[in-house]
Amino acid sequence: MIWNPEKECMSREQLHELQSERLVKIVRHTYDNVPMYRERMNAAGLTPDDIKSIEDISKLPFTTKKDLRDYYPDSLFAVPRSEIVRFHASSGTTGKPIVAGYTAHDVENWSEGTARCLTAYGAGRGDTIQVSYGYGLFTGGLGAHDGATRIGAAVLPTSAGNTSKQLMLMQDLGCTGLCCTPSYALFLAEELEKEGLRDKIQLKFGAFGAEPWTENMRKELESKLGIKAYDIYGLTEISGPGVGGECQCQDGTHLWEDMFYPEIIDPATGEPLPEGKEGELVFTTLDKWGMPMIRYRTRDLTHLNYSQCACGRTMVRMGRILGRSDDMLIVRGVNVFPSQVESILLEIPEFQGQYFITIDRVNNVDTFDIDVELREEFYTDEIAQLHRLRDRLVGRIVSVIGIKPNIHIVEPGSITRSMGKAKHVEDKRKFK
């Protein structure tokens, strides 16, 4: 199913024309109304008249998360406050939060993008969609809610937490769709299994996002919940969930290029990379007027595929997010992404997908410790068997990542589960 075939299936030539037209307008709007962008363009010797088509986008300066904090709360808004109808904000755990402002038009576009995603998963009128993303300042809850409402589905706005009630309502109301983080979905699956409810639910699909997850995690979720598990992508700075989503081909995340123009750059140099090359994802909002973003550096690492999908959509497909360039760990000179550990764990049948990495420095040498859980049926007090499993995991991690970790096998259920974005890493070196 396709929600908006006129846009989702337009030719690349038509899309190029629309992108160019929209870029010219949004650059003019931003230049006229946001002092920071005007100053940066002037410093680069640019005026809006220099931007004539989408090919000119690389002339424009980048925007970073630091800019959103430096200009907190509303100095990047491009319309009067009277035109802003909604605010969202990040958690702000590392400083001032990022505040995003939306006009009515922006909210309409946001729900359009989410409606496209949910329709691509097979959802529609007659479905009951349980939204277990957090509501409030986080974009996940309201973003998924508005998209589900737009396609005519019934919404169960459970938000995050209160897991026992979540499972009761999921069963009693016959929910067919689930929207939450993949880590929370895995926790719900574990609880369903414990309560013997696995065969009493009617879920058909899950829309999972807000944190990186792997193909192995997809298989785990599909097996445990009996669903098709789909990626949904968004970010507070650009829009919430609905910037892009997978289709039923599950062969990459379609990005809605008529609203959000993507680029891939070298994270070190900022230079654009050719199609298919892995690098940092950059977005320019083409039809967002409250707080437009020009070449926003997401720090997400991925690649883009412009070949037409078998589903008929012509919009570019984004590969899985490997991680974030600012979340990458450098341990003993080696680049380590938490998602690599997750993927390896889910390759080995005896292990759960739950893990916690602790990085420290002892005698000027980095330490690399990973707590992991065995599945209940494989947990044992036989030391020799635990050592064999540990050595098998160590060998696999060394072969993939290149450095040897200290593996600690802990009891099933002992690693803290998250009801929002999962925390998998503690790097103690930054406190020393």
Side-chain angles (χ1 to χ4, degrees):
M1 296 191 293
I2 298 178
W3 172 256
N4 188 342
E6 181 183 349
K7 290 287 172 61
E8 295 176 62
C9 301
M10 68 169 59
S11 70
R12 296 298 304 180
E13 291 75 18
Q14 290 173 310
L15 183 58
H16 177 275
E17 185 177 339
L18 179 63
Q19 289 170 333
S20 295
E21 175 187 322
R22 287 184 167 179
L23 179 66
V24 168
K25 288 180 180 177
I26 205 70
V27 168
R28 169 59 71 181
H29 173 70
T30 306
Y31 183 90
D32 288 345
N33 294 288
V34 183
M36 184 197 81
Y37 282 117
R38 183 165 57 251
E39 290 164 9
R40 289 190 180 177
M41 286 182 65
N42 288 343
L46 289 172
T47 71
D49 293 335
D50 295 311
I51 307 302
K52 297 179 171 59
S53 74
I54 199 69
E55 280 83 12
D56 293 323
I57 199 165
S58 59
K59 299 176 182 177
L60 294 165
F62 291 113
T63 311
T64 67
K65 183 172 287 191
K66 183 177 182 299
D67 295 326
L68 276 76
R69 292 194 173 119
D70 288 348
Y71 288 86
Y72 170 91
D74 59 2
S75 295
L76 295 182
F77 289 6
V79 297
R81 283 283 292 270
S82 59
E83 293 184 32
I84 297 294
V85 301
R86 189 187 294 178
F87 297 102
H88 280 281
S90 68
S91 61
T93 54
T94 57
K96 288 203 183 265
I98 288 167
V99 173
Y102 296 79
T103 66
H105 177 80
D106 299 337
V107 173
E108 180 80 4
N109 272 348
W110 182 3
S111 67
E112 162 72 20
T114 311
R116 293 182 191 180
C117 296
L118 293 172
T119 303
Y121 309 151
R125 193 174 297 276
D127 278 299
T128 298
I129 299 177
Q130 182 166 336
V131 179
S132 298
Y133 286 116
Y135 278 67
L137 291 176
F138 176 57
T139 56
L142 284 170
H145 187 123
D146 287 350
T149 299
R150 186 156 178 174
I151 65 174
V155 183
L156 176 62
T158 50
S159 193
N162 202 345
T163 299
S164 60
K165 183 174 283 188
Q166 296 245 9
L167 298 181
M168 179 184 72
L169 291 171
M170 181 186 291
Q171 178 187 349
D172 293 347
L173 294 176
C175 295
T176 52
L178 174 65
C179 300
C180 63
T181 62
S183 55
Y184 189 51
L186 187 59
F187 179 55
L188 289 174
E190 291 173 351
E191 294 302 301
L192 281 167
E193 191 68 33
K194 286 180 188 175
E195 299 297 324
L197 299 175
R198 167 66 179 77
D199 296 328
K200 296 182 180 180
I201 62 170
Q202 299 177 43
L203 289 181
K204 298 185 298 185
F205 72 89
F208 304 129
E211 62 188 23
W213 55 301
T214 63
E215 282 299 313
N216 285 333
M217 175 70 92
R218 189 208 298 275
K219 293 173 187 173
E220 184 89 349
L221 289 169
E222 291 186 337
S223 171
K224 287 191 169 184
L225 291 171
I227 61 171
K228 292 277 278 184
Y230 297 102
D231 184 56
I232 191 165
Y233 180 79
L235 58 167
T236 300
E237 303 90 314
I238 301 301
S239 184
V243 172
E246 288 183 305
C247 65
Q248 291 183 327
C249 298
Q250 293 180 311
D251 188 23
T253 297
H254 291 279
L255 300 176
W256 309 130
E257 295 178 82
D258 55 322
M259 296 187 282
F260 315 103
Y261 184 78
E263 302 172 78
I264 297 292
I265 65 166
D266 183 317
T269 67
E271 291 300 312
L273 294 175
E275 178 182 346
K277 289 289 186 181
E278 191 175 89
E280 181 183 340
L281 181 63
V282 171
F283 276 116
T284 296
T285 56
L286 297 177
D287 196 22
K288 186 181 179 188
W289 298 87
M291 195 180 83
M293 286 283 102
I294 304 296
R295 302 194 80 199
Y296 180 74
R297 297 187 62 161
T298 68
R299 299 297 181 184
D300 287 335
L301 299 173
T302 186
H303 69 275
L304 299 177
N305 177 2
Y306 286 87
S307 65
Q308 184 168 332
C309 183
C311 72
R313 293 174 179 82
T314 53
M315 298 281 177
V316 67
R317 283 170 289 154
M318 175 180 74
R320 277 215 174 271
I321 301 293
L322 172 64
R324 293 175 58 83
S325 59
D326 51 359
D327 284 347
M328 181 181 73
L329 301 165
I330 300 178
V331 184
R332 301 173 210 155
V334 175
N335 296 343
V336 177
F337 290 96
S339 58
Q340 292 174 302
V341 173
E342 175 191 290
S343 185
I344 292 166
L345 281 173
L346 292 173
E347 288 176 5
I348 303 174
E350 290 87 350
F351 288 98
Q352 301 257 40
Q354 303 291 345
Y355 66 97
F356 193 84
I357 299 170
T358 304
I359 309 296
D360 205 344
R361 182 169 288 124
V362 177
N363 296 326
N364 295 318
V365 176
D366 291 338
T367 61
F368 180 27
D369 290 78
I370 311 176
D371 292 350
V372 298
E373 290 182 13
L374 286 174
R375 298 185 190 279
E376 190 79 48
E377 61 270 29
F378 295 108
Y379 192 72
T380 177
D381 56 4
E382 293 182 18
I383 301 300
Q385 187 172 339
L386 291 176
H387 283 177
R388 283 194 296 271
L389 286 169
R390 183 194 62 195
D391 292 345
R392 183 178 167 197
L393 179 57
V394 168
R396 182 66 180 136
I397 289 175
V398 169
S399 70
V400 172
I401 298 177
I403 58 173
K404 184 177 180 179
N406 300 312
I407 296 294
H408 309 279
I409 296 177
V410 299
E411 291 186 15
S414 61
I415 295 176
T416 302
R417 270 56 170 168
S418 172
M419 296 179 187
K421 293 188 180 184
K423 181 183 178 185
H424 289 300
V425 179
E426 181 179 13
D427 189 346
K428 296 182 178 179
R429 296 173 299 182
K430 61 186 176 183
F431 300 114
K432 295 185 173 181

